[in-house]
């Protein structure tokens, strides 16, 4: 398995051998975390830049009532909190959804690398803008899409992201997210999520078995969700 962080950033800029060496250097010593481990908690002082090399994680907030809202999924190759060091404390938490390999890049190392390698800096900034576009798409889903539209939209988003980082062959992917986690991302109950997945199966749009998702009719999912991939900005050069 290659370095998915480098492969993702290559979608936004052409790297020299020196750029690749720099990225390999700062990601050379990842740490393995088990599922359901907080990488950083709301209220903590901002730490280093986190890069997920393998596994899944998510951003979340817990309300005073104890309910949880997930605001983003982090897949292999994703980095987070490029500029949050400018703030006094974290305004959300990040937790692993599965066993994950995560590297922590110090602020000093990241700043020096971006200053010395402008193409890496460009790719990192574009990646952050794509993350912001994804958040806007999620806001639209939670505010305006129906339950089945929300689920279909998220399925297509995760599937397309998986294809782009080599986690999917274009027809199927591992979806190692329990329905409770999907429910917290979509503002629904696990029971409701389960019913919608059954509806999508019956429509012939998907197959889901033992954590493996297969898209059997992408046209149905696209029609149901109104999905438009422009916010994922595959290539900006």
């Amino acid at each position: 398995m290659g370095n998915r962080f480098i492969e993702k950033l290559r979608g936004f800029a052409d790297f020299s051998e020196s750029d690749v060496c720099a990225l390999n250097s700062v990601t050379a010593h990842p740490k393995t975390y088990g599922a359901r481990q907080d990488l950083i908690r709301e209220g903590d002082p901002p730490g280093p830049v986190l890069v997920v090399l393998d596994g899944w994680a998510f951003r979340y907030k817990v309300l005073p009532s104890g309910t949880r809202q997930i605001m983003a999924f982090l897949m292999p190759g994703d980095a987070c909190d490029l500029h949050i060091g400018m703030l006094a404390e974290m305004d959300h938490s990040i937790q692993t959804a599965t066993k994950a390999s995560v590297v922590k890049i110090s602020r000093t190392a990241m700043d020096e690398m971006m200053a010395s390698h402008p193409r890496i800096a460009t790719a990192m900034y574009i990646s952050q803008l794509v993350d912001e576009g994804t958040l806007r798409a999620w806001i639209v889903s939670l505010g305006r899409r129906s339950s089945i539209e929300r689920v279909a939209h998220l399925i297509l988003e995760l599937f397309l992201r998986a294809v782009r980082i080599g986690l999917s062959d274009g027809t199927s992917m591992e979806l190692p997210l329990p329905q409770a986690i999907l429910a917290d991302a979509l503002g629904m109950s696990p029971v409701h999520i389960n019913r919608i997945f059954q509806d999508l199966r019956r429509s012939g749009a998907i197959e889901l078995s033992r954590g493996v998702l297969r898209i059997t009719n992408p046209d149905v999912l696209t029609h149901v969700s109104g999905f438009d991939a422009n916010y994922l900005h595959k290539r900006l050069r």
Side-chain angles (χ1 to χ4, degrees):
M1 180 183 69
N3 187 315
R4 298 195 189 279
F5 180 51
I6 297 175
E7 293 309 310
K8 177 182 176 180
L9 294 183
R10 272 182 163 152
F12 303 128
D14 289 323
F15 289 155
S16 67
E17 184 176 342
S18 174
D19 295 329
V20 172
C21 286
L23 287 166
N24 274 319
S25 177
V26 296
T27 57
H29 302 290
K31 180 179 177 180
T32 299
Y33 295 84
R36 299 182 298 279
Q37 282 190 252
D38 280 327
L39 301 175
I40 194 163
R41 293 185 177 93
E42 184 173 1
D44 286 350
V49 176
L50 303 175
V51 178
V52 180
L53 295 179
D54 191 33
W56 293 58
F58 56 84
R59 301 177 187 270
Y60 74 96
K61 287 181 72 77
V62 175
L63 280 64
S65 64
T67 56
R68 179 179 67 178
Q69 179 65 51
I70 291 174
M71 300 166 292
F73 287 120
L74 304 174
M75 298 170 67
D78 287 343
C80 52
D81 302 331
L82 180 61
H83 295 304
I84 207 164
M86 297 177 181
L87 303 179
E89 62 181 37
M90 290 292 293
D91 57 22
H92 65 282
S93 303
I94 300 174
Q95 185 178 111
T96 56
T98 66
K99 181 180 177 180
S101 176
V102 179
V103 66
K104 296 183 177 182
I105 305 174
S106 72
R107 297 286 162 182
T108 299
M110 179 60 75
D111 290 345
E112 289 177 352
M113 180 177 66
M114 292 175 66
S116 302
H117 299 270
R119 282 171 289 202
I120 294 177
T122 296
M124 288 291 295
Y125 285 131
I126 293 173
S127 179
Q128 182 169 309
L129 290 171
V130 172
D131 289 345
E132 292 172 4
T134 303
L135 179 59
R136 288 190 289 272
W138 280 40
I139 291 171
V140 172
S141 281
L142 289 170
R144 291 297 177 183
R145 291 189 174 102
S146 68
S147 296
I148 193 168
E149 288 170 346
R150 267 181 266 167
V151 173
H153 197 277
L154 181 61
I155 287 173
L156 284 171
E157 176 190 301
L158 296 179
F159 195 82
L160 183 55
R161 289 170 63 187
V163 168
R164 290 180 177 177
I165 59 173
L167 287 181
S168 169
D169 59 4
T171 59
S172 63
M173 65 173 286
E174 289 189 16
L175 186 64
L177 303 175
Q179 291 181 355
I181 286 181
L182 292 171
D184 285 349
L186 294 165
M188 300 160 61
S189 70
V191 173
H192 195 180
I193 288 279
N194 186 52
R195 285 201 303 266
I196 290 175
F197 270 109
Q198 290 178 16
D199 289 342
L200 291 173
R201 285 192 191 100
R202 283 192 292 267
S203 74
I206 67 168
E207 294 176 0
L208 182 62
S209 177
R210 297 182 180 180
V212 176
L213 171 70
R214 184 166 179 262
I215 306 292
T216 49
N217 195 329
D219 290 340
V220 169
L221 286 179
T222 301
H223 177 73
V224 167
S225 64
F227 187 81
D228 185 337
N230 69 339
Y231 68 94
L232 295 173
H233 301 287
K234 183 177 181 180
R235 193 79 169 176
L236 290 179
R237 287 191 290 109

